[in-house]
Amino acid sequence: MTLPDGVTVIDLRTDDLRAAEPLSDLTALPVRPVSLQAIEDGAHGLTPDLGPLLVICERGVRSGLATRYLSADGLDARAYPGGVPALRAALKGDEAGGK
């Protein structure tokens, strides 16, 4: 699954993982770093005007939990299955298909 147009990507990864591989290097879509703790606490600062939210974590587990919290807060959110490795693989597949 590649990233759909019009979404804001929510990066749940830790600061060190974000620094090692910024999602902004993988996509031109807007990316917002937010911790799972901030989402659980309702202190995420995300609003409906950001459009649909696509939540990505390192392996795809925490994004599902974050999505449930964000949906409960009235936001249009869904998890990216498989996390960053799945995104990286999908993007490589797109590049190979375009050659």
Side-chain angles (χ1 to χ4, degrees):
M1 171 182 163
T2 57
L3 297 174
D5 290 334
V7 300
T8 297
V9 177
I10 305 302
D11 188 349
L12 286 183
R13 298 174 303 153
T14 59
D15 290 339
D16 58 328
L17 291 174
R18 288 183 198 131
E21 184 177 17
L23 291 183
S24 59
D25 288 353
L26 299 176
T27 180
L29 293 168
V31 177
R32 289 203 165 201
V34 180
S35 71
L36 179 57
Q37 187 65 52
I39 291 172
E40 289 175 341
D41 293 344
H44 48 73
L46 302 171
T47 58
D49 65 309
L50 295 172
L53 305 175
L54 188 62
V55 184
I56 298 180
C57 64
E58 184 54 29
R59 298 282 174 209
V61 177
R62 294 180 309 126
S63 59
L65 178 59
T67 298
R68 288 191 292 276
Y69 278 102
L70 293 170
S71 294
D73 287 344
L75 297 169
D76 179 4
R78 59 185 159 149
Y80 190 90
V84 173
L87 174 62
R88 202 179 307 114
L91 293 174
K92 284 182 183 177
D94 285 351
E95 290 174 8
K99 290 183 180 178

